[in-house]
Amino acid sequence: NPRVLGADPLVENGISEEAMVTVVLPYIKSAREGVARLGSIIEKYGTSETNGVLFSDEDEVWYFESGSGHHWVAQRIPDDCYAVVANQLAIQKVDLDDPDNFMYSKIILKLILIILTSVMSLVHMNIAMKFIALLVYGTVKNTFLVIMIKIQ
């Protein structure tokens, strides 16, 4: 999505998929730790490409996506479900108030606000004071990531 990459471009010398296993797996003991470690690396050093990574342990399965240079989201796959992921970003809805099922980059709200202000006027932002559903990472026409934010 040009809007997202304009706000947070991919990093030419950032981590790429062939290095992820080496810098993550030896240092973690759980799927959740894998998400946190890869996420912190991408936040600090950036990534040179968008990626989807599944982390699994005996208790949990997490699906991680990086959609821009320094931002990422991950969703826990419920115990009674499975994930089928094509070669494009797949997470559709992220609940920022549900840490048991979603993890995300620490500064993703900054990216959301940059994109939000580029697509909505202040009038529209005032109308949406109770709840905002924001289309962020579109990789193919009509595909997107919905970020749900509760406005207090």
Side-chain angles (χ1 to χ4, degrees):
N1 179 317
R3 195 177 313 129
V4 172
L5 293 176
D8 182 33
L10 297 172
V11 178
E12 184 176 342
N13 294 320
I15 190 169
S16 56
E17 68 181 319
E18 66 272 356
M20 290 178 181
V21 171
T22 306
V23 300
V24 174
L25 287 184
Y27 305 98
I28 64 168
K29 291 184 168 81
S30 71
R32 187 179 292 264
E33 286 180 14
V35 169
R37 179 162 176 85
L38 181 56
S40 69
I41 291 168
I42 288 175
E43 285 178 49
K44 185 173 182 178
Y45 301 105
T47 182
S48 61
E49 58 197 3
T50 60
N51 274 300
V53 179
L54 279 165
F55 290 95
S56 177
D57 63 36
E58 61 187 29
D59 298 317
E60 294 184 310
V61 177
W62 283 83
Y63 179 60
F64 176 105
E65 290 184 340
S66 61
S68 65
H70 298 89
H71 296 283
W72 57 273
V73 296
Q75 180 175 12
R76 183 181 179 280
I77 307 302
D79 293 338
D80 61 345
C81 296
Y82 58 89
V84 176
V85 182
N87 196 17
Q88 66 181 31
L89 298 177
I91 297 175
Q92 295 291 310
K93 296 181 181 178
V94 175
D95 186 344
L96 299 178
D97 291 326
D98 185 1
D100 292 334
N101 293 296
F102 295 96
M103 297 171 68
Y104 47 89
S105 57
K106 293 176 188 168
I107 57 172
I108 200 164
L109 288 176
K110 180 179 176 184
L111 177 68
I112 292 168
L113 290 173
I114 290 169
I115 294 167
L116 182 63
T117 56
S118 75
V119 297
M120 293 181 77
S121 69
L122 289 175
V123 172
H124 291 113
M125 286 172 44
N126 288 332
I127 292 170
M129 289 304 283
K130 194 138 179 116
F131 181 81
I132 297 170
L134 175 63
L135 311 180
V136 181
Y137 290 111
T139 55
V140 178
K141 189 174 182 177
N142 298 326
T143 65
F144 50 85
L145 171 68
V146 177
I147 302 284
M148 292 184 234
I149 307 170
K150 294 177 186 171
I151 305 296
Q152 301 296 330

